[in-house]
Amino acid sequence: MKKILLVSGCSFTTRNYQSHHHPEIDFTSYDKWPEMLAEKLNMQCVNLAKSGAGNEFISNTIIDYIETTDKSKIGLVIPAWSQCRRRDYQTYSTRSKSPSCKFEMYDLFGDTRYWIRKSLKTYYFFQIYCDYYKIPYKQVQMIELFKDNIKIDFNEEKKEMDDFTVDEMYYKKLKNFIGETSGILSLEDVLTSNRKDKEKIKEFSISSEDSHPSKNGHRLLAEYIYENI
């Protein structure tokens, strides 16, 4: 029996992506990077990602799944971390036995430093959990952690947030990130601004309006992750 590749993330990872810019296109007709990666690894893919999800959702869905599964069946876990500013919560209905997950793109409380620290703690606690149960895992910062929060003096403020992040004690404890990615450098960054083969950038996004990965973009993500596991 094949081992499970367990993945969670946001819209860059979900199997059921729908574009606001291109509602006429069916993006569910092809595999995304987790399914492509599972095929390369000869594993069974379990993709828990949902559009709009934040890092709390990503961590919790992975841990909830592991707690209800025979841990020996899990071959590899990959959280594809999202932006720090997002807020996740659940609502319960008397008609449904399972909660409904809700996402807000901006938390109404706290600030960028608080959100960064909160995400780093989430990464670290996920890491401790997997280490405790000896579950194989890799981590990837799929989209930037805080860059979209910066609006005024981009270069100066980004350096300030970079310095704040790397000085955090939880950041210094993180490990098992894929390739060049880290709590600061995202896979989106690696495959665009920092990719040596600049021609591949053209394959990455759906369009100039929608920066989510196209079919070829998902293939590029799967290839990069596979090469750097």
Side-chain angles (χ1 to χ4, degrees):
M1 182 178 292
K2 291 183 178 180
K3 293 273 190 174
I4 293 171
L5 170 64
L6 178 59
V7 179
S8 190
C10 60
S11 54
F12 270 60
T13 300
T14 184
R15 182 73 177 82
N16 301 310
Y17 177 67
Q18 293 180 315
S19 173
H20 296 296
H21 297 281
H22 305 284
E24 75 284 359
I25 301 178
D26 179 14
F27 293 102
T28 65
S29 61
Y30 57 85
D31 287 341
K32 306 307 186 294
W33 71 260
E35 290 77 23
M36 294 177 182
L37 179 62
E39 185 175 354
K40 288 176 177 291
L41 296 172
N42 192 30
M43 288 184 175
Q44 171 193 346
C45 182
V46 175
N47 186 348
L48 305 174
K50 288 190 176 183
S51 293
N55 292 323
E56 183 179 358
F57 170 89
I58 294 170
S59 177
N60 286 350
T61 50
I62 288 175
I63 292 174
D64 287 348
Y65 184 91
I66 292 173
E67 286 298 316
T68 58
T69 305
D70 181 350
K71 296 177 179 62
S72 67
K73 294 181 179 179
I74 299 174
L76 180 63
V77 177
I78 302 179
W81 300 118
S82 184
Q83 293 173 320
C84 68
R85 67 190 185 192
R86 298 184 179 184
R87 180 171 180 253
D88 310 315
Y89 62 97
Q90 294 179 336
T91 57
Y92 289 79
S93 169
T94 55
R95 298 181 180 180
S96 175
K97 293 183 179 179
S98 59
S100 175
C101 296
K102 306 288 186 179
F103 311 117
E104 299 291 343
M105 297 306 289
Y106 284 92
D107 193 338
L108 295 178
F109 302 97
D111 58 15
T112 301
R113 286 174 174 79
Y114 165 74
W115 298 329
I116 289 172
R117 182 180 291 116
K118 181 181 178 182
S119 285
L120 296 179
K121 286 182 181 180
T122 299
Y123 302 176
Y124 182 57
F125 295 157
F126 159 82
Q127 187 175 292
I128 290 175
Y129 176 87
C130 290
D131 284 341
Y132 179 81
Y133 284 111
K134 296 181 172 57
I135 296 171
Y137 68 94
K138 289 286 186 177
Q139 305 190 69
V140 60
Q141 187 66 48
M142 178 55 67
I143 60 177
E144 59 83 20
L145 181 64
F146 57 77
K147 203 162 57 182
D148 282 357
N149 297 26
I150 302 170
K151 300 298 181 184
I152 304 173
D153 189 337
F154 182 84
N155 291 328
E156 182 176 339
E157 192 173 353
K158 182 178 183 303
K159 184 181 184 306
E160 185 178 341
M161 291 298 103
D162 284 348
D163 292 344
F164 172 82
T165 303
V166 298
D167 284 341
E168 276 293 297
M169 66 174 178
Y170 292 105
Y171 180 87
K172 296 174 183 178
K173 295 174 182 289
L174 298 180
K175 61 183 181 180
N176 288 4
F177 272 78
I178 291 170
E180 301 171 59
T181 65
S182 65
I184 291 180
L185 186 62
S186 72
L187 190 49
E188 184 181 10
D189 293 328
V190 170
L191 294 179
T192 52
S193 301
N194 299 296
R195 190 76 171 182
K196 291 181 180 179
D197 185 356
K198 297 295 182 182
E199 290 302 311
K200 287 196 173 185
I201 297 173
K202 298 176 183 177
E203 304 175 21
F204 184 73
S205 298
I206 291 171
S207 70
S208 57
E209 293 82 21
D210 191 331
S211 63
H212 288 83
S214 61
K215 183 176 182 179
N216 285 333
H218 278 285
R219 185 175 294 112
L220 184 58
L221 290 171
E223 289 173 357
Y224 185 87
I225 294 171
Y226 180 73
E227 291 166 2
N228 289 277
I229 287 178

